[in-house]
Amino acid sequence: MANCRDPWLPWVTVRHEYIGQRAYQVPHSAAVRDIKQLIYEETDLPVIEQQLVHNGKVLDDKVQIGTLVPMGSLEVCMTLEGRGLKGGGRFGQTTPPLVEFLKDILRRYPEGGQILKELIQNAEDAGATEVKFLYDETEYGVESLWSHDMAQYQGTALYVYNDAVFTTEDWNGIQEIARSRKREDPLKVGRFGIGFNSVYHITDVPSIFSGEQIGMLDPHQTLFGAHESGQCWNLKTDMKEITELTDQFAPFIGLFGNSGKPIEDGSFSGTMFRFPLRIKPSQLSANIYNKEKVLELFESFKADADTVLLFLKSVQKVSLHVRESDGTERMLFQVTAGENPEDKLERPNSLKTLGLATDSYSNGVPSSTVTCATYQVNIETQDETAKEIQRTTWLVCNGVGGRGLCSDLDSLADDLKFIPTIGIALPLTRIDEDKGATSGFSGRAFCFLPLPPGDESLTGLPVHVSGFFGLTDNRRSIKWREVDQWRDPAALWNELLIVTIIPRAYFTLIMEAIKRIQTKKDQDFPLFPRDTYGAWPDLNRIKPRWKPILEPLFHDLLQQQVIYSLTNSWIQVDEAVFSELDTDVDIAETVISYLQSSGMQVARVPAAVDAVLGTYVTGPASVKKVTPHLVRQVIRNTKHKGTSQEKLLLLEFVLSDKGYSDLIGLELLPLQDETFAVFSSSVSDKDAVYIASEEYPRSLYPGLEGRFILEGIKRSVMSSLKDAAKSRVQQFLWGCSGRYFDMWCCVLESFLTLTQTNTLF
């Protein structure tokens, strides 16, 4: 453990054959029982089973540590003896050496850009607003060091800076690798102890400079003495030693605005991590790091840098830098998150609302709702190498579940120390309504920061989803219930989060997008009305794990005014008639115009939305669509008053489904005298309508010129009318008799060109 010493308090060193050496700095007034309690907190060895021996004598629990401090020293040495099992030989489980423990973490936690994300998470936890990564090639002096062994760590290093200061809890937490203190505060992002320790892929001796202290960690326990895994210096009490070891502390001067004055003044208003690159294999790792590998880390980070800040509350800027051996420093890349320019208080106010909801949940305040807050975020990436600047705009909705919304969720939250929080982010630049989201967009899962790229993190949704998810121990994927871990509480938590919190936040996001489109018609809002369809989940794309979102989402969504009609109004599903017309443009326009003039709200939706309607709209409120049958019904009830050309187009459409028996009552039969007759079921000879042909021209029927079908109609329409005639003839030759019976039979049999129409409908 790194020793951050108070020069006036005694140190109690406890040794045990199995648990190793433990050291505690305590007041003089502390009792032996207090030491036993500290041992219990670290080892789970019950106080009642502990015996502490000092100078060969078993100590009573009431003995004060101050009475044991020897003259001229502040160190008290004790031996721990446990009662354990009686008889036999030695027995009991032991903890692995520190190096072996860290090696196991590195095996489970692959190296890559995720290391940088873990460090961003640490900064987010601390409330920092900015993070900087710096690859530094500077070689520092090796004369005045703690020991000659430190010389190998005075060269090339990766630095990480953030503008928050370590607290006492942070200093303690970074030393307790097996028990993350972030678990005690569920609002912390990186709540797993392995996060920071992934830096051992890069270095053997990480160091930290923050506030009044500089600490160095040595898991090999070779640099600062036997059994010492680090050393800490206080800028106020250890200034003499710091001043003497000039080279040792030179790497902390002249970076990130630190000119040396913070050391002189006794405090650094930020946090600086220094990771000397591993230049030769060590017991911890054989992984050698150089400039090429660090730049690969940077490139890996850049790959999804435009989403790193999307769901963070504090960190708003991350940048990548290089400092050459000659001291020249240049920025390679930067990503920033900006407020909505039209409402700079929107995001701060939203975060305040979410904070209050989180506090209420933590404090057990009952609520059966999901508190949602939505804000706009503008992300800008600046790539100095490629000389590119890219900007993306997002609409982000965060939700916090209420205590009482789901009892199972509440029980798991208490057991796991989780909070039911969710974030949904919709890209606003620009959505393709047919393809969903922006071109090439793939919705991913986040646990505040994006999970590593790959199939495991893809959701198949047109939005990014962040949540307080239970993750695998290497933080690379969300836990799901499998056959061999069906009762895993974290996996069950994830499933409940998906079915209870995500649908409501997703619903709120879509409704908020519609609201902003309605209220910002004359302003620069990136979405058009029909773009909102691209935010709907596509039933054919969503991954199976995420399908439980669908039913609760669409149950709420399809009851709202989420359909945008062709007359530019927002309507409910049951108010709309949906057009899927892929026919002639003139026909489609005429049909839609006629339906609109008849009081109907016509809308067009993408195929994915149509599939949703077909799946989730059932019962009496079934989806109405523009069909020939519907148009025939409307014409029958509402006489068409349009032009002859429009009537001909309507006729062509209503004939297209071959529903000939449904033509009765429609005034759409075009005559040669440019009038229109009504399709009728009458069998009267005087109502007969004829189709002329070369063999039977109109001239053969003097006085009947006004009872012939218009000769100029489309061939396809004429063909449909003939088909209608054939269909009707088969129904007792359409009710004809006498000489007309013989004539119709002859004509139909020979030419299929002469038809008595008006008497048949």
Side-chain angles (χ1 to χ4, degrees):
M1 178 175 288
N3 302 326
C4 300
R5 297 178 179 272
D6 184 317
W8 308 110
L9 297 181
W11 274 90
V12 177
T13 301
V14 180
R15 294 184 175 87
H16 187 272
E17 185 173 2
Y18 296 126
I19 69 172
Q21 178 174 293
R22 309 275 169 162
Y24 309 99
Q25 191 172 34
V26 296
H28 287 77
S29 59
V32 169
R33 182 175 180 82
D34 297 325
I35 302 300
K36 290 183 176 181
Q37 181 63 32
L38 292 172
I39 294 172
Y40 166 70
E41 291 177 359
E42 289 194 357
T43 67
D44 291 329
L45 180 63
V47 171
I48 195 172
E49 295 187 10
Q50 298 179 39
Q51 285 186 338
L52 290 176
V53 179
H54 176 63
N55 291 337
K57 295 181 179 180
V58 177
L59 296 172
D60 185 271
D61 285 354
K62 297 179 181 179
V63 174
Q64 290 189 334
I65 300 303
T67 64
L68 305 175
V69 176
M71 292 290 294
S73 173
L74 287 175
E75 185 170 6
V76 179
C77 295
M78 300 180 183
T79 301
L80 172 64
E81 296 180 356
R83 295 178 184 175
L85 298 174
K86 301 296 185 181
R90 292 174 176 170
F91 181 80
Q93 295 176 309
T94 62
T95 57
L98 178 56
V99 169
E100 292 302 317
F101 189 91
L102 291 173
K103 285 173 70 174
D104 183 60
I105 288 178
L106 299 184
R107 280 191 293 269
R108 290 183 288 116
Y109 199 102
E111 63 176 311
Q114 200 72 6
I115 296 174
L116 305 189
K117 293 176 187 175
E118 289 291 347
L119 295 166
I120 294 173
Q121 286 181 340
N122 288 328
E124 171 75 6
D125 294 341
T129 62
E130 181 178 7
V131 177
K132 294 180 180 180
F133 295 92
L134 171 69
Y135 168 73
D136 182 21
E137 293 185 329
T138 305
E139 297 285 339
Y140 293 94
V142 296
E143 298 299 322
S144 52
L145 301 176
W146 174 276
S147 70
H148 292 300
D149 291 336
M150 299 291 290
Q152 60 183 310
Y153 306 114
Q154 290 293 97
T156 305
L158 173 66
Y159 287 84
V160 185
Y161 162 84
N162 70 67
D163 58 357
V165 178
F166 256 40
T167 64
T168 300
E169 290 74 18
D170 293 328
W171 283 110
N172 291 332
I174 206 167
Q175 299 174 76
E176 297 177 350
I177 63 172
R179 186 181 65 208
S180 173
R181 288 180 176 265
K182 293 175 182 179
R183 180 175 169 81
E184 299 169 10
D185 183 356
L187 297 182
K188 301 296 186 183
V189 176
R191 53 194 186 280
F192 305 98
I194 65 171
F196 173 79
N197 293 292
S198 63
V199 302
Y200 286 110
H201 278 298
I202 301 172
T203 187
D204 286 321
V205 183
S207 55
I208 309 102
F209 181 17
S210 186
E212 299 177 352
Q213 297 185 138
I214 298 175
M216 296 183 184
L217 297 172
D218 173 30
H220 292 95
Q221 302 181 0
T222 59
L223 298 175
F224 303 108
H227 308 298
E228 293 290 345
S229 60
Q231 181 65 37
C232 187
W233 293 266
N234 186 285
L235 297 186
K236 297 187 185 305
T237 60
D238 299 317
M239 182 54 69
K240 182 176 183 297
E241 188 172 47
I242 292 173
T243 304
E244 292 173 351
L245 301 177
T246 307
D247 291 337
Q248 185 71 76
F249 297 100
F252 300 100
I253 298 173
L255 297 167
F256 308 115
N258 172 19
S259 61
K261 191 172 177 58
I263 292 182
E264 297 172 5
D265 294 344
S267 181
F268 176 48
S269 58
T271 296
M272 183 194 308
F273 296 96
R274 182 175 185 269
F275 306 127
L277 302 191
R278 184 180 293 109
I279 58 177
K280 63 181 180 180
S282 70
Q283 185 182 352
L284 182 58
S285 173
N287 197 13
I288 307 302
Y289 250 80
N290 52 28
K291 182 176 183 179
E292 181 182 0
K293 278 200 166 186
V294 173
L295 294 182
E296 284 178 4
L297 280 183
F298 284 3
E299 288 300 317
S300 178
F301 170 79
K302 287 162 61 174
D304 54 7
D306 59 332
T307 60
V308 164
L309 305 179
L310 202 49
F311 295 105
L312 298 186
K313 307 298 188 294
S314 299
V315 176
Q316 297 295 288
K317 180 189 290 187
V318 178
S319 54
L320 310 176
H321 303 253
V322 167
R323 187 186 193 193
E324 309 291 353
S325 56
D326 61 2
T328 304
E329 182 177 334
R330 55 192 173 89
M331 186 182 78
L332 302 179
F333 184 85
Q334 176 177 279
V335 56
T336 57
E339 313 288 356
N340 182 355
E342 297 178 9
D343 186 356
K344 293 187 179 296
L345 294 178
E346 178 182 61
R347 184 172 177 275
N349 289 341
S350 295
L351 296 181
K352 182 178 180 181
T353 298
L354 295 167
L356 293 174
T358 301
D359 291 343
S360 295
Y361 189 89
S362 299
N363 295 328
V365 179
S367 174
S368 59
T369 62
V370 178
T371 300
C372 293
T374 307
Y375 51 86
Q376 190 171 315
V377 176
N378 298 317
I379 305 290
E380 179 180 286
T381 59
Q382 182 178 346
D383 192 330
E384 290 297 326
T385 304
K387 300 300 180 184
E388 283 184 344
I389 295 179
Q390 295 185 348
R391 297 179 178 88
T392 54
T393 304
W394 302 79
L395 192 62
V396 179
C397 177
N398 286 290
V400 180
R403 187 169 286 274
L405 183 67
C406 174
S407 59
D408 289 340
L409 197 68
D410 293 339
S411 297
L412 288 169
D414 294 336
D415 292 342
L416 298 170
K417 306 300 181 186
F418 286 3
I419 298 289
T421 61
I422 280 295
I424 314 284
L426 173 69
L428 300 182
T429 34
R430 274 260 336 256
I431 290 180
D432 185 317
E433 67 173 88
D434 293 315
K435 295 181 179 178
T438 54
S439 179
F441 179 86
S442 297
R444 287 173 58 187
F446 289 53
C447 186
F448 303 96
L449 283 161
L451 297 179
D455 290 342
E456 282 289 318
S457 67
L458 295 177
T459 64
L461 293 166
V463 294
H464 287 321
V465 178
S466 175
F468 203 125
F469 294 117
L471 302 181
T472 54
D473 59 359
N474 61 5
R475 288 185 55 81
R476 297 188 67 82
S477 58
I478 295 174
K479 275 190 175 182
W480 302 108
R481 288 202 294 171
E482 306 289 354
V483 174
D484 60 341
Q485 54 180 27
W486 190 251
R487 298 183 182 277
D488 186 292
L492 178 57
W493 163 271
N494 293 336
E495 292 185 7
L496 291 174
L497 206 61
I498 282 176
V499 78
T500 58
I501 312 299
I502 291 181
R504 194 63 196 176
Y506 203 156
F507 165 83
T508 302
L509 178 74
I510 293 176
M511 295 308 301
E512 183 65 25
I514 291 173
K515 177 183 175 182
R516 294 183 183 222
I517 290 171
Q518 290 174 316
T519 58
K520 298 185 178 183
K521 289 182 179 179
D522 300 326
Q523 301 179 40
D524 186 22
F525 188 66
L527 285 191
F528 292 109
R530 292 184 180 85
D531 291 336
T532 58
Y533 296 138
W536 292 34
D538 186 328
L539 304 187
N540 294 322
R541 294 184 182 182
I542 185 170
K543 302 289 185 180
R545 300 284 194 188
W546 300 88
K547 286 188 176 181
I549 292 173
L550 300 177
E551 198 283 327
L553 169 62
F554 290 125
H555 175 272
D556 291 342
L557 193 65
L558 297 179
Q559 298 182 50
Q560 306 300 317
Q561 294 180 331
V562 293
I563 303 299
Y564 193 68
S565 75
L566 298 181
T567 52
N568 304 323
S569 59
W570 292 96
I571 56 177
Q572 291 182 251
V573 173
D574 58 2
E575 297 175 303
V577 178
F578 294 93
S579 171
E580 298 176 349
L581 301 182
D582 58 359
T583 183
D584 179 272
V585 174
D586 291 336
I587 294 176
E589 290 181 353
T590 299
V591 169
I592 290 172
S593 177
Y594 172 65
L595 293 177
Q596 290 172 334
S597 67
S598 301
M600 289 192 167
Q601 294 276 17
V602 182
R604 287 196 189 99
V605 295
V609 173
D610 184 60
V612 168
L613 299 178
T615 303
Y616 292 98
V617 179
T618 58
S622 58
V623 178
K624 298 188 291 289
K625 295 190 175 182
V626 176
T627 62
H629 175 69
L630 173 71
V631 174
R632 289 193 294 264
Q633 283 184 315
V634 175
I635 294 175
R636 189 173 291 113
N637 297 327
T638 307
K639 303 301 181 182
H640 183 263
K641 307 297 183 182
T643 65
S644 297
Q645 181 60 28
E646 290 175 353
K647 284 192 174 185
L648 289 173
L649 292 171
L650 289 175
L651 174 63
E652 185 174 353
F653 182 70
V654 300
L655 289 171
S656 62
D657 68 343
K658 303 186 185 304
Y660 303 133
S661 62
D662 195 28
L663 294 172
I664 296 171
L666 305 186
E667 190 181 38
L668 289 180
L669 193 59
L671 303 180
Q672 186 62 34
D673 62 0
E674 299 186 355
T675 62
F676 287 80
V678 176
F679 286 94
S680 169
S681 59
S682 170
V683 295
S684 171
D685 291 346
K686 66 181 180 62
D687 294 326
V689 175
Y690 306 98
I691 300 174
S693 68
E694 292 182 3
E695 190 165 351
Y696 294 92
R698 281 188 287 118
S699 59
L700 295 179
Y701 304 92
L704 297 180
E705 289 83 355
R707 294 172 61 186
F708 276 84
I709 294 292
L710 181 66
E711 292 181 357
I713 61 176
K714 286 184 179 179
R715 181 174 300 177
S716 59
V717 175
M718 183 67 79
S719 177
S720 294
L721 289 174
K722 291 177 182 179
D723 289 343
K726 289 168 60 179
S727 173
R728 191 60 169 165
V729 166
Q730 290 171 358
Q731 300 175 28
F732 304 104
L733 290 175
W734 298 7
C736 296
S737 61
R739 63 185 180 85
Y740 285 108
F741 178 91
D742 296 332
M743 181 180 71
W744 289 118
C745 287
C746 177
V747 172
L748 288 168
E749 182 177 358
S750 302
F751 306 102
L752 293 176
T753 56
L754 181 60
T755 275
Q756 180 182 359
T757 305
N758 215 67
T759 63
L760 310 175
F761 295 89

mmCIF file of all heavy atoms in Angstrom, residues 586-605:
data_model
loop_
_atom_site.group_PDB
_atom_site.id
_atom_site.type_symbol
_atom_site.label_atom_id
_atom_site.label_comp_id
_atom_site.label_asym_id
_atom_site.label_seq_id
_atom_site.Cartn_x
_atom_site.Cartn_y
_atom_site.Cartn_z
ATOM 1 N N ASP A 586 -49.649 10.237 -61.862
ATOM 2 C CA ASP A 586 -50.886 11.008 -62.031
ATOM 3 C C ASP A 586 -52.047 10.336 -61.311
ATOM 4 O O ASP A 586 -52.881 11.008 -60.690
ATOM 5 C CB ASP A 586 -51.213 11.163 -63.519
ATOM 6 C CG ASP A 586 -50.224 12.066 -64.232
ATOM 7 O OD1 ASP A 586 -49.597 12.904 -63.550
ATOM 8 O OD2 ASP A 586 -50.067 11.926 -65.460
ATOM 9 N N ILE A 587 -52.102 9.010 -61.396
ATOM 10 C CA ILE A 587 -53.177 8.285 -60.708
ATOM 11 C C ILE A 587 -53.042 8.469 -59.206
ATOM 12 O O ILE A 587 -54.027 8.768 -58.505
ATOM 13 C CB ILE A 587 -53.139 6.788 -61.067
ATOM 14 C CG1 ILE A 587 -53.465 6.589 -62.547
ATOM 15 C CG2 ILE A 587 -54.108 5.999 -60.191
ATOM 16 C CD1 ILE A 587 -53.361 5.143 -62.999
ATOM 17 N N ALA A 588 -51.822 8.293 -58.686
ATOM 18 C CA ALA A 588 -51.607 8.409 -57.246
ATOM 19 C C ALA A 588 -51.989 9.795 -56.751
ATOM 20 O O ALA A 588 -52.680 9.939 -55.730
ATOM 21 C CB ALA A 588 -50.152 8.105 -56.917
ATOM 22 N N GLU A 589 -51.553 10.819 -57.452
ATOM 23 C CA GLU A 589 -51.865 12.184 -57.028
ATOM 24 C C GLU A 589 -53.363 12.440 -57.066
ATOM 25 O O GLU A 589 -53.916 13.087 -56.182
ATOM 26 C CB GLU A 589 -51.124 13.180 -57.921
ATOM 27 C CG GLU A 589 -49.617 13.201 -57.693
ATOM 28 C CD GLU A 589 -48.927 14.218 -58.581
ATOM 29 O OE1 GLU A 589 -49.614 14.797 -59.462
ATOM 30 O OE2 GLU A 589 -47.712 14.434 -58.402
ATOM 31 N N THR A 590 -54.023 11.926 -58.095
ATOM 32 C CA THR A 590 -55.472 12.139 -58.215
ATOM 33 C C THR A 590 -56.222 11.423 -57.104
ATOM 34 O O THR A 590 -57.134 11.990 -56.486
ATOM 35 C CB THR A 590 -55.966 11.639 -59.584
ATOM 36 O OG1 THR A 590 -55.312 12.386 -60.616
ATOM 37 C CG2 THR A 590 -57.473 11.803 -59.710
ATOM 38 N N VAL A 591 -55.856 10.171 -56.835
ATOM 39 C CA VAL A 591 -56.525 9.400 -55.787
ATOM 40 C C VAL A 591 -56.346 10.075 -54.435
ATOM 41 O O VAL A 591 -57.306 10.257 -53.674
ATOM 42 C CB VAL A 591 -55.977 7.959 -55.754
ATOM 43 C CG1 VAL A 591 -56.458 7.238 -54.495
ATOM 44 C CG2 VAL A 591 -56.404 7.204 -56.997
ATOM 45 N N ILE A 592 -55.098 10.461 -54.113
ATOM 46 C CA ILE A 592 -54.830 11.080 -52.814
ATOM 47 C C ILE A 592 -55.549 12.415 -52.692
ATOM 48 O O ILE A 592 -56.150 12.724 -51.657
ATOM 49 C CB ILE A 592 -53.309 11.248 -52.620
ATOM 50 C CG1 ILE A 592 -52.663 9.871 -52.433
ATOM 51 C CG2 ILE A 592 -53.003 12.138 -51.431
ATOM 52 C CD1 ILE A 592 -51.159 9.881 -52.426
ATOM 53 N N SER A 593 -55.496 13.200 -53.754
ATOM 54 C CA SER A 593 -56.181 14.501 -53.730
ATOM 55 C C SER A 593 -57.678 14.328 -53.520
ATOM 56 O O SER A 593 -58.300 15.076 -52.759
ATOM 57 C CB SER A 593 -55.903 15.246 -55.040
ATOM 58 O OG SER A 593 -56.605 16.467 -55.071
ATOM 59 N N TYR A 594 -58.253 13.323 -54.184
ATOM 60 C CA TYR A 594 -59.693 13.092 -54.034
ATOM 61 C C TYR A 594 -60.041 12.675 -52.600
ATOM 62 O O TYR A 594 -61.010 13.172 -52.013
ATOM 63 C CB TYR A 594 -60.168 12.028 -55.017
ATOM 64 C CG TYR A 594 -61.598 11.614 -54.782
ATOM 65 C CD1 TYR A 594 -62.642 12.522 -54.964
ATOM 66 C CD2 TYR A 594 -61.901 10.333 -54.339
ATOM 67 C CE1 TYR A 594 -63.961 12.157 -54.724
ATOM 68 C CE2 TYR A 594 -63.213 9.955 -54.099
ATOM 69 C CZ TYR A 594 -64.236 10.878 -54.297
ATOM 70 O OH TYR A 594 -65.539 10.524 -54.044
ATOM 71 N N LEU A 595 -59.245 11.780 -52.026
ATOM 72 C CA LEU A 595 -59.507 11.347 -50.653
ATOM 73 C C LEU A 595 -59.371 12.503 -49.676
ATOM 74 O O LEU A 595 -60.157 12.643 -48.729
ATOM 75 C CB LEU A 595 -58.557 10.211 -50.272
ATOM 76 C CG LEU A 595 -58.759 8.882 -51.011
ATOM 77 C CD1 LEU A 595 -57.704 7.878 -50.581
ATOM 78 C CD2 LEU A 595 -60.159 8.326 -50.760
ATOM 79 N N GLN A 596 -58.368 13.348 -49.898
ATOM 80 C CA GLN A 596 -58.189 14.507 -49.029
ATOM 81 C C GLN A 596 -59.360 15.473 -49.143
ATOM 82 O O GLN A 596 -59.849 16.005 -48.135
ATOM 83 C CB GLN A 596 -56.873 15.214 -49.366
ATOM 84 C CG GLN A 596 -55.637 14.422 -48.974
ATOM 85 C CD GLN A 596 -54.355 15.045 -49.486
ATOM 86 O OE1 GLN A 596 -54.357 15.761 -50.497
ATOM 87 N NE2 GLN A 596 -53.250 14.773 -48.804
ATOM 88 N N SER A 597 -59.840 15.672 -50.372
ATOM 89 C CA SER A 597 -60.991 16.571 -50.561
ATOM 90 C C SER A 597 -62.261 15.987 -49.959
ATOM 91 O O SER A 597 -63.219 16.716 -49.695
ATOM 92 C CB SER A 597 -61.203 16.839 -52.059
ATOM 93 O OG SER A 597 -61.623 15.654 -52.729
ATOM 94 N N SER A 598 -62.239 14.682 -49.716
ATOM 95 C CA SER A 598 -63.390 14.024 -49.103
ATOM 96 C C SER A 598 -63.270 13.987 -47.583
ATOM 97 O O SER A 598 -64.072 13.334 -46.911
ATOM 98 C CB SER A 598 -63.524 12.601 -49.640
ATOM 99 O OG SER A 598 -63.678 12.616 -51.047
ATOM 100 N N GLY A 599 -62.240 14.664 -47.037
ATOM 101 C CA GLY A 599 -62.095 14.770 -45.586
ATOM 102 C C GLY A 599 -61.184 13.742 -44.961
ATOM 103 O O GLY A 599 -61.112 13.647 -43.731
ATOM 104 N N MET A 600 -60.476 12.967 -45.749
ATOM 105 C CA MET A 600 -59.590 11.949 -45.198
ATOM 106 C C MET A 600 -58.166 12.481 -45.045
ATOM 107 O O MET A 600 -57.703 13.295 -45.836
ATOM 108 C CB MET A 600 -59.576 10.704 -46.088
ATOM 109 C CG MET A 600 -60.871 9.919 -46.036
ATOM 110 S SD MET A 600 -60.675 8.307 -46.810
ATOM 111 C CE MET A 600 -62.171 7.501 -46.239
ATOM 112 N N GLN A 601 -57.478 11.981 -43.990
ATOM 113 C CA GLN A 601 -56.090 12.327 -43.743
ATOM 114 C C GLN A 601 -55.216 11.212 -44.304
ATOM 115 O O GLN A 601 -55.172 10.107 -43.768
ATOM 116 C CB GLN A 601 -55.838 12.476 -42.236
ATOM 117 C CG GLN A 601 -56.565 13.651 -41.601
ATOM 118 C CD GLN A 601 -55.776 14.939 -41.781
ATOM 119 O OE1 GLN A 601 -54.881 15.027 -42.624
ATOM 120 N NE2 GLN A 601 -56.122 15.949 -40.999
ATOM 121 N N VAL A 602 -54.528 11.513 -45.380
ATOM 122 C CA VAL A 602 -53.693 10.508 -46.040
ATOM 123 C C VAL A 602 -52.243 10.694 -45.594
ATOM 124 O O VAL A 602 -51.763 11.821 -45.458
ATOM 125 C CB VAL A 602 -53.796 10.614 -47.573
ATOM 126 C CG1 VAL A 602 -52.967 9.525 -48.239
ATOM 127 C CG2 VAL A 602 -55.253 10.523 -48.004
ATOM 128 N N ALA A 603 -51.560 9.585 -45.345
ATOM 129 C CA ALA A 603 -50.162 9.643 -44.916
ATOM 130 C C ALA A 603 -49.368 8.561 -45.629
ATOM 131 O O ALA A 603 -49.907 7.530 -46.031
ATOM 132 C CB ALA A 603 -50.064 9.455 -43.404
ATOM 133 N N ARG A 604 -48.090 8.840 -45.789
ATOM 134 C CA ARG A 604 -47.157 7.836 -46.312
ATOM 135 C C ARG A 604 -46.118 7.554 -45.235
ATOM 136 O O ARG A 604 -45.602 8.486 -44.612
ATOM 137 C CB ARG A 604 -46.450 8.331 -47.574
ATOM 138 C CG ARG A 604 -47.303 8.379 -48.818
ATOM 139 C CD ARG A 604 -46.410 8.499 -50.059
ATOM 140 N NE ARG A 604 -47.174 8.755 -51.263
ATOM 141 C CZ ARG A 604 -47.348 9.952 -51.815
ATOM 142 N NH1 ARG A 604 -46.781 11.012 -51.244
ATOM 143 N NH2 ARG A 604 -48.059 10.103 -52.917
ATOM 144 N N VAL A 605 -45.786 6.295 -45.013
ATOM 145 C CA VAL A 605 -44.768 5.933 -44.032
ATOM 146 C C VAL A 605 -43.802 4.943 -44.665
ATOM 147 O O VAL A 605 -44.162 4.229 -45.605
ATOM 148 C CB VAL A 605 -45.400 5.315 -42.763
ATOM 149 C CG1 VAL A 605 -46.251 6.329 -42.029
ATOM 150 C CG2 VAL A 605 -46.210 4.070 -43.099
#
